[in-house]
Structures are given as C-alpha cells and as structure tokens.
C-alpha cells in the first residue's frame, strides 16, 4: 500500500484538477465557516486573557469618603494593614487618580475632565491581597470608618471567568455545528467524485484491488480539503485580526486587549485541526454512503 | 486450476446461460471455448472471475470455491488472474500505459519496475508508440491489445480472454497469439473464448464447444470444424 502512496496523492490531485470549480467552491465555504467560528474563539481568547491580566493583580480597591482627614486616613491604613491576607497597600490621592485615569484613557479624558471642571474621582487605597482572602478583606474593609465603598476585583474576575466559560462553550458548539456542516459539504463533494468514477472503481475491483485502493485518494482529498480550509481561514485571521483589534483598541482604549496576532496564532491550530478532522470524517462518510449501495 | 462440477447459471431474468458444466483444467493447460454468440462463453468466464455466481454445482478456481466466496478470496483470485474482457473495461481519460500500469499497481509493484514492465508489454502487442495516447483516441483493435497487455503484464497464473481477437486484423492476431503463447510458457493456465480459427491454429490447446449453455469436449474433428466454420464466414 505504501509503495503506492505517491500515486494516491497524484490521483487525489488529478481529481482536483478535474473539477476545480466545485472543489474551489467547497474550499471557500469551508474556510468561511471556519473563519466565522474563529471570531467566537477569538472572543473567548480575549476574555481569558483579560481574566489572566486582572488575576495577576488580585486587589481590593478601598475608596475613601470625600472629606477624610489625614489622621483618619493614616489610622485607616494601619487597620487595613492588620487584616489577614493583605500584602501591600498603596494610597492614591484624588489628584493621582485623575492622572492615572488620564494615562489609561489618553487624550480624550483630559478633555472630559476639563469640561467637567472638577475632579470626579475619590482617593483610594489599592490593597494587594492573597487571592483566596480577597473577599474577606473586602467585607472587613467596608465596615471601617471613612470608607466610601469597596470594590473587589475578584467578583469581576469571577463574573468574567464565568463569561469566558460560556464563550468557550459557545465556541465549542459553534465548532461542532460548523464541523457537521463541513462534514456534509465535504462528504457531498467526495460523493460526487466517487459517483463520477463508479465505473473506474468497478474496474479496480475486477483487477483485484481492495476497497482502500480506490478510496484512499478520496480520503486524502477530503482531508486535504478540510486542512486547506483551516489553513485559509487561519491566514484570513492572521490578516484581519490585528487590524480589527487595533480598531477596537482605539475605540475602547481602557480595555486591555490581547494583540490580534496573538489571538490569530492561538486560534489557528484549532481551525486547522477542526478542518482536518472533519475533512477526514466527511470523506469517510462519503465512502460509507457509497459502499452502502 | 479449474474444477467445475454440474455448474449452472440462471440469470435473474430467467435466462439459463449455462447448464451442467463439468470441466477440469490443469495448471498450464490451454483451453479454447468455442460457441456461437449467446452460447454462454462470457458467462462462463465471468463465473471464473467471481463476477457472477453459479446457481448450481461446484466451482473451484485456484483453490477458491466460488459458490459462497468471501470478498478477500475473490480479491486474491483476481490478483493472480489476468483478464481480457470482451468490452475491454479500460479506463477512459487515461493513457494506454496508465491502464497497463494500473494492473501492476494494484499488485503493489514499485514505480520503476512498473514503468519498465508496462512499456515492455505495450511494445509486445505492437503499441510501443501509443503508450501516451488516451484510450479513447485508440481504435477498437488497439484498445483490445491494450487490454491484453494489461492482463499479461502481471504474469498471471490464470489468463482469461474473451474473444481477444474479435476486432483484429491478421497482423494483430499474430501479436495476440504470441503474447498468449508467452504467458503460457511463463506458466499461465489459459482459457480463451473465441471462434477465431486464426488463433486456434497458432496455439496448441484443448478445444471445447459451448452450445446453448452446455459444454462438450469437441470431437477430434472439432478443431477442423471450428476452423472450417470460421473459414466459411471469412
Ligand atoms: N446479465 C445478464 N442478465 C440476463 N441475461 C444475460 C446476462 N448476460 C448474458 N445473458 C444471457 O445469457 C446468454 C449467454 O450470454 P453470454 O454468456 O454473453 O454469451 P456469449 O458470450 O457466448 O455470446 C445469452 O442468452 C444472454 O442474453
Ligand atoms: Mg461473449
């Protein structure tokens, strides 16, 4: 069988050359399908990355009331220090808060502050915590005098993590759906190829060929088709994702985003693997149908 | 090589193509089966290749019983057989050489051996310069010789030929006879369905006659009769 491997590839190629339009169309539709799932995957990728970024800095933000005196602030800092699980404390004044926000938001925000004419921010303590004690620290901090409100990024994190899971699940379902559609597309095109060559295959059998002799070129072809579809959609992602994400970044500058190339590279293997696997199963399905007759 | 006992074939539409065939063919033997058109020659060859199943009797070819054969057994039988079909069964859209090479490729013969042997086989049937021509551009006589090359190139143990000279002129019949003789020399058992005296004259062998599905060992005069019959038509 392996002495014939080159021949099987040649046969697969011959058939492609024989009906280039049909093959090209199915390739395009497979690539498009995969490209669309790539978006859902990219969303999940982004969220995952965001969670990772935020998770590195498990922190509780303790906002101070508008008019807290210096002495009260110092005693508050000491009390926060006493809470178990607290690792670091950094004070950020109203003025610093404004500056930081301007750093993050860029030029647009200074305009915003200028038009507002006053500083809308509160001073706050950024309290580094051990991740597993973050919630408890937040609860305790809220009870201290002079505290306006407490924001625990763990809650945000948990919500984001849940959203990431939903996104992932959605992506897997989308992938399965696309996979099945792909499988049907490929099995259809392979089936047409098999039908067109029914007579030829009968001759193979009369000469003593086993079922794989005639089937293998078509298995190769279907697998190749799926693989190429994955590859094309991957290339499309490599080209488009960096552009899209840099557009998104300039629209939402405060949102930490993974660079587009990184997302494309992360999604690529999934696209190619899905293409290949469902390409192979599609052509197996076609064989199975053909043999049923 | 071939043992047939009480073999009969009734087609699904009720046509009784063969009845009570008893025949033993030894390894290396040459057998001609004569008979008018519709006598059942093609049907008998089809049985030998497992293309049709006998409806009665016992049929053993190359040690394989063809009454209830398994797919693997049929494959094995077909691999050691070279067959020239009455309708050639060449693959259109391929060149003559590709058709011949396919025969060896199915046997798993490597690329360079395959190329060499295919070329030689085509040369032996007088088609050395037609190897790269598509089958559909060849004349019927040329196609018939390609079909023969495809059968002989695998150096078969059993060679079945269904009217292999049906479309050929005198010179081409010479090629065919030579090829068949060569295969027999190489150890093949040969069964030829024909009514071509030109072939029978050139190849010593046993002559049988099929008549409305019944097989008879031709009487001593069978050969001359067949030859005369053919001569009469010419
Ligand atoms: N597939 C078939 N179905 C029904 N009848 C058939 C079939 N093939 C051949 N026959 C019939 O069987 C008889 C023998 O045919 P065949 O073996 O082709 O004869 P020959 O090759 O000697 O001319 C003929 O009457 C023919 O019509
Ligand atoms: Mg016939």
């Amino acid at each position: 069988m392996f002495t014939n491997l080159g021949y099987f590839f040649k046969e697969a190629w011959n058939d492609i050359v024989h009906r280039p339009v049909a093959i090209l169309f199915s390739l395009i539709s497979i690539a498009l399908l995969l490209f669309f799932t790539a978006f859902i995957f990219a969303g999940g990728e982004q969220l995952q990355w965001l969670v990772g970024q935020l998770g590195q800095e498990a922190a509780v933000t303790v906002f101070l009331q508008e008019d807290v005196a210096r002495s009260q602030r110092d005693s508050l800092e000491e009390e926060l220090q006493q809470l178990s699980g607290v690792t670091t404390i950094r004070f950020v004044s109203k003025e610093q808060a404004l500056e930081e926000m301007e750093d993050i938001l860029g030029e647009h925000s200074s305009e915003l502050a200028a038009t507002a004419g006053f500083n809308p921010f509160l001073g706050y303590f950024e309290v580094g915590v051990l991740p597993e004690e973050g919630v408890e620290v937040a609860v305790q901090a809220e009870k201290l005098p002079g505290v306006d409100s407490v924001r625990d990024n763990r809650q945000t994190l948990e919500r984001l993590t849940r959203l990431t899971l939903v996104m992932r699940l959605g992506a897997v379902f989308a992938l399965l759906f696309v996979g099945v559609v792909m499988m049907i597309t490929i099995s259809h095109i392979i089936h047409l190829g098999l039908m067109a060559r029914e007579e030829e295959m009968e001759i193979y059998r009369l000469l003593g060929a086993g079922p794989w002799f005639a089937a293998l070129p078509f298995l190769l072809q279907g697998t190749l088709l799926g693989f190429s579809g994955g590859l094309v959609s991957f290339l499309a992602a490599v080209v488009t994702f960096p552009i899209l994400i840099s557009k998104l970044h300039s629209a939402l500058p405060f949102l930490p985003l993974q660079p587009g190339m990184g997302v494309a590279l992360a999604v690529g293997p999934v696209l190619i693997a899905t293409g290949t696997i469902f390409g192979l199963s599609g052509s197996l399905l076609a064989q199975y149908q053909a043999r049923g007759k | 090589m071939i043992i047939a006992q009480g073999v009969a074939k009734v087609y699904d539409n009720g046509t009784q193509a063969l009845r009570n065939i008893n025949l033993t063919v030894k390894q290396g033997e040459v057998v001609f089966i004569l008979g008018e058109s519709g006598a059942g020659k093609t049907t008998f060859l089809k049985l030998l290749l497992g293309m049709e199943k006998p409806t009665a009797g016992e049929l053993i070819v190359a040690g394989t019983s063809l009454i209830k054969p398994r797919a693997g057994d049929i494959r094995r039988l077909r691999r050691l057989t070279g067959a020239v079909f009455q309708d050639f069964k060449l693959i259109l859209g391929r060149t003559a050489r590709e058709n011949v090479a396919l025969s060896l490729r199915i046997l798993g013969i490597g690329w360079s051996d395959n190329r060499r042997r295919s070329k030689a086989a085509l040369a032996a049937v007088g088609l050395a310069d037609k190897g790269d021509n598509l089958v559909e551009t060849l004349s019927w006589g040329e196609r018939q010789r390609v079909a023969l090359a495809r059968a002989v190139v695998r150096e078969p143990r059993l060679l079945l030929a269904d009217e292999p000279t049906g479309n050929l002129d005198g010179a081409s019949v010479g090629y065919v006879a030579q090829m068949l003789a060569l295969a027999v020399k190489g150890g093949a058992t040969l069964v030829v369905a024909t009514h071509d005296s030109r072939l029978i004259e050139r190849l010593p062998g046993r002559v049988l006659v099929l008549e409305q599905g019944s097989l008879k060992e031709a009487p001593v005069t069978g050969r001359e009769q067949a030859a005369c019959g053919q001569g009469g038509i010419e």
Side-chain angles (χ1 to χ4, degrees), chain A residues 4 7 11 200 207-208, chain B residues 75 78-79 94 105 154:
Chain A
N4 280 325
Y7 157 77
E11 284 293 294
E200 191 170 327
L207 296 178
Chain B
R75 218 174 294 143
R78 287 177 180 175
R79 280 163 180 261
R94 309 285 175 131
R105 192 172 286 135
R154 32 168 65 179

Side-chain angles (χ1 to χ4, degrees), chain B residues 42 86 162-163:
Chain B
T42 297
Q86 194 167 10
D162 199 350
E163 310 205 19

